[in-house]
Amino acid sequence: DDQIVDHLANEEDPDKWTHRYYTYPKHFGGPGHPIFVIMGGEGAIEPEFGIYYPFIADHLAKQFGAYVLQPEHRFYGSSQPLGDATPTSEQRVRLVNTEQAMMDYVRLLRHIQVDELGCSTDRTSPQYCSVITVGGSYPGYLSAMMRVVHADIVDMAYAASAPMKFYDQTVGVDDYYDHITDVAEKSSPGCADKVRTTLSAVAVEIQKAGDDGFPSVATKMGICKHTIPSYMNACRTFRDELMMIVGYTFANYNMGAYPPGPQTALSKACQIFKDDDAMPLDKMDSFLAMLAGTGKTSFGLSLAARGDSHCFFNMSSQLPSGENATITGGDWSGVGTGNNGEIWDLQTCTFLVERIGFSPRSMFPNRPWTMDWLRSHCAARFGVEPKPFEYRKRWRFDDLVKGANATRILFTNGLNDGWSVGGIKEDLSDSILALNLETGAHHSDLSHQGPTEADTKEVKKAFRKISKILDNWLDEVKRESRASEAKLLRLSGYKVVD
């Protein structure tokens, strides 16, 4: 209950709030041993999930005698700096952002280091506990930025599937869904064309039905008419939002397509669209049933017999919370639902702009992403203006070596992952390293299960390589500490015997 609401206000008596976090001290060897800080990201961390990554908690922590700390990101879950109050537009920009979240993590980390563990914060002390930040996806970006912005606190960063080039605005606007299309095709040859032709046919059916008739087409795909959000009062809006659901669902299946093979949801979704015996609306019915996880479809009934009594898909279930919510949000890979979706929509409306569109080459209907669209959405939704270049200007992470002067950051990328198009995929220096996994998807090295026997040989090898890199860097920190201590002694007039 001692976390600060606004770290940037420099108030003598700042407002405080209760920050939820998790710890795993099982392997901690005491002062002088490292601390892993797993970055909380764009979602609540409920108690049943606890510490996210077994590779960190049960393998690396055991190897290094490390303590594990995992804080929840502000404004997600129970970590609510303003309690039940709805933030104003000014507060949304000032408080709901990466910079404030990182300052939360620094303040919490210092409390844990000193007050709970008895570690020294003096790097020359044998009681110093090196800090390793860890994260996958947006938390991977957070992990890297903790090393860049708070290098006085953080000694090294492990950043899996970190979308660095999305946030420095250098990724191509069509790259994301073009890559998802390519991976779907590789996963199940013929998939891309079948998805493309099916969605085109469905779009034609919706257009033909018009503004008055599109709900009847919706029911033929298993969508319950009464769950169609009220803002979808035109067939074009309904079509665009339905296609967005298909797009981001494939994006989610793409992220989880590991280990690669016919057992993945990506491959199974492709099989639905490749069924030549099914009509386009039947395929959509089966796809939405897979998404809903009900196992119930209206497929098999005649199209005429389908209606609300046979529907199963709640379209409103795809909405984030909050006023003026829409299925298409700031993140076209999907903002999510409920409070998580609302806050992520806000974050991608301010400092974390993601340029993601649907090109004619992708298997999805062409829908260009524009900054004008984003500005309009963000103004209507939150009363905010996107600031896509703010963090890049200040932190200079578009050039980690010469701009940010960063060291000791390990980036890992699953090359089947859509987010890999915006990852750091080559070594930038002798201590900013990239490890690319041909068989990997979205932070497959930081899964909620692994390491397991199901991991590919390549990923098993990567676990060993990651361990070795971090081990070498921990030794490097100790060597630097000893060198700094010796220099201080010499300056004090002591003779140092090596």
Side-chain angles (χ1 to χ4, degrees), residues 22-40:
Y22 299 86
T23 63
Y24 193 68
K26 179 178 179 180
H27 302 296
F28 186 54
H33 291 79
I35 300 171
F36 281 102
V37 187
I38 299 175
M39 302 284 97

Side-chain angles (χ1 to χ4, degrees), residues 236-296:
R236 180 173 179 176
T237 306
F238 172 78
R239 178 202 66 196
D240 286 349
E241 295 297 65
L242 178 64
M243 297 306 163
M244 182 60 69
I245 291 172
V246 176
Y248 67 57
T249 300
F250 264 101
N252 289 334
Y253 292 161
N254 165 273
M255 288 194 291
Y258 174 81
Q263 82 288 348
T264 65
L266 177 63
S267 182
K268 290 176 181 177
C270 282
Q271 296 310 310
I272 290 172
F273 285 93
K274 288 169 64 177
D275 182 358
D276 290 334
D277 294 328
M279 299 297 289
L281 295 179
D282 294 329
K283 294 178 183 181
M284 282 296 299
D285 179 286
S286 297
F287 179 78
L288 293 175
M290 179 178 172
L291 171 58
T294 63
K296 176 183 178 182

Side-chain angles (χ1 to χ4, degrees), residues 5-22:
V5 172
D6 188 352
H7 296 276
L8 303 174
N10 293 318
E11 299 166 323
E12 287 188 15
D13 186 23
D15 291 337
K16 303 286 184 66
W17 60 283
T18 301
H19 192 176
R20 179 161 68 177
Y21 63 92
Y22 299 86

Side-chain angles (χ1 to χ4, degrees), residues 166-177:
F166 283 90
Y167 299 143
D168 74 11
Q169 306 303 308
T170 59
V171 74
V173 70
D174 297 324
D175 292 356
Y176 182 78
Y177 277 113

Side-chain angles (χ1 to χ4, degrees), residues 229-232 237 240-242 244-245 248 315-332 334-338 341-342 344-346 349 367 373-374 376-378 380-382:
S230 59
Y231 75 90
M232 295 185 204
T237 306
D240 286 349
E241 295 297 65
L242 178 64
M244 182 60 69
I245 291 172
Y248 67 57
M315 201 164 189
S316 290
S317 70
Q318 300 298 299
L319 286 169
S321 61
E323 294 182 5
N324 303 318
T326 52
I327 286 172
T328 301
D331 176 0
W332 281 21
V335 296
T337 61
E342 180 180 2
W344 187 240
D345 196 1
L346 173 57
C349 264
R367 187 178 176 187
W373 180 90
L374 185 68
S376 176
H377 167 76
C378 299
R381 179 85 158 106
F382 302 113

